[in-house]
Amino acid sequence: MSTVGTEGFATLDGARSKSASTVSPKANSYIVYDELLRQRKAEASRSIIVQVQKENLCDDVLLYCSQFGEINKIFHYTSHIIEHSQKENKDLVFIEFKDEKHFEAALTASTHANHQYIIPACTPMLWFRHTKSSSIKKKLTSNKQIEIKKDSCKVLSKMEIKNKLAKVDSISEQILTLYDFTKLNDAGTRLRFFTAYQIERCFKSLFPNLVVVPFGSSVNTFGKQGCDLDLSLILDQNNTEKISSSLVYQTKYFSGQNKTHVKRLMETIADSMSTFLPGVSNVKKILEARVPIIKFDHLLCGVECDLSTTNMTAYYMSELLYIFGEMDWRVRPLVFTIRKWAESIGLTSKIPGPWISNFMLTMMVLFFLQQQHVLPSINSLKLSASQNDVRVADVHVDCTFLRDITKLPKTKNTDSLEKLLLDFFSYYSNFDFSAKAISLNMGKPVLKSENHPLYICNPLEVNLNVSRIVSIDSLHRLVLAFRDATWVLETKKERNHESKGLLSLFSKESIQKNWKESKKTAR
Ligand code: GTP
Ligand code: MG
């Protein structure tokens, strides 16, 4: 058995022990999701980003900003988002001050330049220019020890990943290596929370109860470096009417159920962000979709975003995935590997369509791990829920389930990652997709209630199928790919070809070649 500690979302800076395969899991203090998001938002609220002309100016920025107060965190990153078909490379520094008053001091000391030609927004998104005062060498006090990590949000190329994996012997180790080198890191997470906070800040003076909540892979801990940022804008969170008040705000009429109203609201939000917010670019309004979204790039944070309104169900879905990821150290590395496999052989795509998505694949992995008794069913999480866990989203969706997983018994399953990977492919190679649905709530296959090719019950709205869009052709391709992968992993073992391990799984050509070879041998 390989019992390797893995770094939790809450302790993203902690490094995994390199003597991986024998050490026991790192004691990981579990943080409930709401608290985790609160902490991340608090960090974002006292952070600034500063664009520099050259990377070597980072130290000057540190020196200059140190005059405003103690710095908790500083890192350099580059943003490479394409604008007007041109690849822009920007060098930036992210700084989190220890205290809000230091953040305020930095902003108060900042200025606009070229007043005649700008929208004079005051945001914590700044650029650094050399003046006499910035070159004064101030004596550093508490910030003396801080080291600026360079290129903190680097996304490894396919070749770099391949080289890393080629250096590792066992498949279990390769799975962990892949996870370690491709998962969204602390810097990427901070920039995503910072982006969400800037949009919230932009509208806050008019709507004090407005929140912009990140969800999806950026926060559910299944995200990789460079993943998109899913955001939900909620106009009026936790606002309850004060029955005793005699002064009532004058307001405009609006109904969240009225599609025209929602469309108009989103159009205005999109236009305001595009006009006022530095960094926001390539704004596209996709308002006719079932869930209307605004797509945009944040060029200063290097993030691609999808913003929807009032989507609390998605928030709780992310919480559920986060909880599953926290339950066992093997969950995330396995999900990462299977998502990478699907991407490498063209099963998933960035473009939505009648094929399987990363989200659906994640559901399939979690369901498989329930079959192995690594994870519990959602119904058992509901049964263990306390009064504090009661949540209802978007008026009618029951999102009540146990949040404090430290109360759950640990799994007795000690299978290695390699075994789980092979068993995953083998399980779905033989799954009766024609009759059975995947139900994470029951934790076992159930009879399909409708005849969609692939049926994965939505864990929060059990009568809905999250994979209703998947076509029969895509399902066939998926099942064939499961069988190919099972075959590749099994024959590797028999022939003792361990040199490449996972890599053979990620190569389309090699799978096709192996498949043809197996057919020849069978004849
Ligand atoms: P990547 O963006 O591919 O890294 O993964 P993701 O989990 O963020 O997926 P995506 O951006 O497509 O969706 C964001 C979130 O929306 C998911 O994590 C889910 O919470 C939710 N979501 C996505 N697809 C569906 C779906 O088909 N049904 C439901 N109910 N929720 C979905
Ligand atoms: Mg996403």
Side-chain angles (χ1 to χ4, degrees), residues 354-372:
W355 37 81
I356 190 135
S357 68
N358 273 337
F359 174 64
M360 298 172 207
L361 263 182
T362 307
M363 295 273 135
M364 291 178 84
V365 181
L366 299 179
F367 179 74
F368 159 75
L369 290 172
Q370 289 178 332
Q371 311 317 299
Q372 310 304 306

Side-chain angles (χ1 to χ4, degrees), residues 215-218 220 227-230 304 306 339:
F215 66 97
S217 61
S218 290
N220 67 21
C227 67
D228 72 354
L229 169 62
D230 302 291
E304 293 171 26
D306 284 353
R339 283 163 78 141

